[in-house]
Amino acid sequence: MYKYLIVITVTLLTLFSCNNTNSNYPEISNIPTKDKIVAYDKYETITIEPNIPTSQIGKLEIINGTLCYIDYLFCYLYYISDDGLLKERKLGIGNGPNEINCGAISTYSVMQNGDISFFGSSDDIYIYSPELRHKKDASFRLKRDRNKMAPEVEKNPDDFETYTFPRFIVCRTFGDKVYINNNSTAHGFNYFETPDKYAQSCRIITEYDIPNKKIGRLLGNGLPEMYKGSSDKNYVFSEFTFDIDEKGNFYIAFLADSLIYKFNKDFKPATAFGYKGKDMDTDYISITKPKDIYQKANEQYNTKGWYTWIEYIPEKNWLCRSYHKGDSHNYDGLQIYKDNILIADINVPVGFRPIGYIHPYLYSDAVVENDKLLFYKIKIN
């Protein structure tokens, strides 16, 4: 991720604050006070069947009301019961009509027509039917202009070639389009080396036009105000997660920002709302030298507070945002918003990131604990 940054030999210059309002982000408009706080009875810890051959690198998903674990390295899709038992195994590495040959899966999205789009690591996109048969005619590989990718070329914020997948990849679908968050580590245009330029003009999401096999819009125009003039402390937490509701509204949650930003389906600013999570340690460490990035980044992901995931739950009209409190706590936090109003801020197990709802439980993504793959489910009243 940082391959272009390791050659930087100068430290960051002193950054200045920007006092102008960033009109590309919605302003806070009458954040509602806390309403009725929902309660939850308990959470359950479910261990996924240990005999399943898994790399433990992947994601738990709910597809058509069924739990599925997608293994990114082995390329298996496991249908599992809500008590963690294997029901069926699909895909796997190979060239058959029910296999996939993309190397490691980078990310994926379940399309609204039931198809699943899998993204490889080299701009390759594989489309599978709901029955998980490869749709070869619909699959494709994007072409990048190699001239625009040359290190000596000044990067244009409006070029697809400027961006790569971030560390925390988010892949969402609306209609027949897929949306993935962006990052740039290109020399001359990144939040570490050129923070003012990047924070002012970066595009944060790429739209993939799946039916026409091409790149659509590059969405967004810069970072929120809090990221201007403070890249030394905020660089590690400058990425974001997002989700899209059934009307096409985008909800953007930056890792260090207490606000949630709502944009309409045309990506025009709508509103901003949100409360800081309880007991979060946000005393981030200043990083001014490229050689310190990797070590201090990993350290802070474990020890500091940050917002780890956002998930819209259509069955309940909930917007769920999980967060890590820091290493002084043995639990994480989960906020639930409804119509922009915070209705819950509860303690959850460390690593809990919401993925969806199957009555009466809210489910978490899979986590690895003591070399076991497990997930949590919470019954919320």
Side-chain angles (χ1 to χ4, degrees), residues 256-301:
D257 194 340
S258 63
L259 292 176
I260 298 170
Y261 300 95
K262 180 180 180 180
F263 295 80
N264 66 18
K265 65 179 180 180
D266 297 318
F267 217 76
K268 300 297 184 183
T271 189
F273 59 95
Y275 290 90
K276 180 179 179 180
K278 295 186 298 186
D279 305 321
M280 293 180 68
D281 178 4
T282 54
D283 185 18
Y284 301 141
I285 299 171
S286 177
I287 302 176
T288 59
K289 299 179 181 179
K291 67 181 181 66
D292 293 334
I293 290 176
Y294 184 79
Q295 177 183 351
K296 289 188 177 181
N298 286 330
E299 175 185 336
Q300 291 192 85
Y301 290 139

Side-chain angles (χ1 to χ4, degrees), residues 120-125 140-144 146 160 165 208:
S121 59
S122 302
D123 296 323
D124 44 335
I125 302 171
F140 59 100
R141 183 186 299 271
L142 295 167
K143 293 183 179 180
R144 291 180 184 258
R146 297 298 170 183
F160 168 62
F165 288 157
Y208 294 79

Side-chain angles (χ1 to χ4, degrees), residues 151-171:
E152 67 275 8
V153 175
E154 183 176 355
K155 297 301 180 283
N156 183 344
D158 291 315
D159 286 340
F160 168 62
E161 289 82 0
T162 297
Y163 303 98
T164 60
F165 288 157
R167 176 167 182 158
F168 301 107
I169 303 176
V170 183
C171 187

Side-chain angles (χ1 to χ4, degrees), residues 12 35 81 105 130 139 157 162 250 272 349 356:
L12 287 176
D35 198 15
S81 65
I105 296 170
S139 301
T162 297
F250 291 77

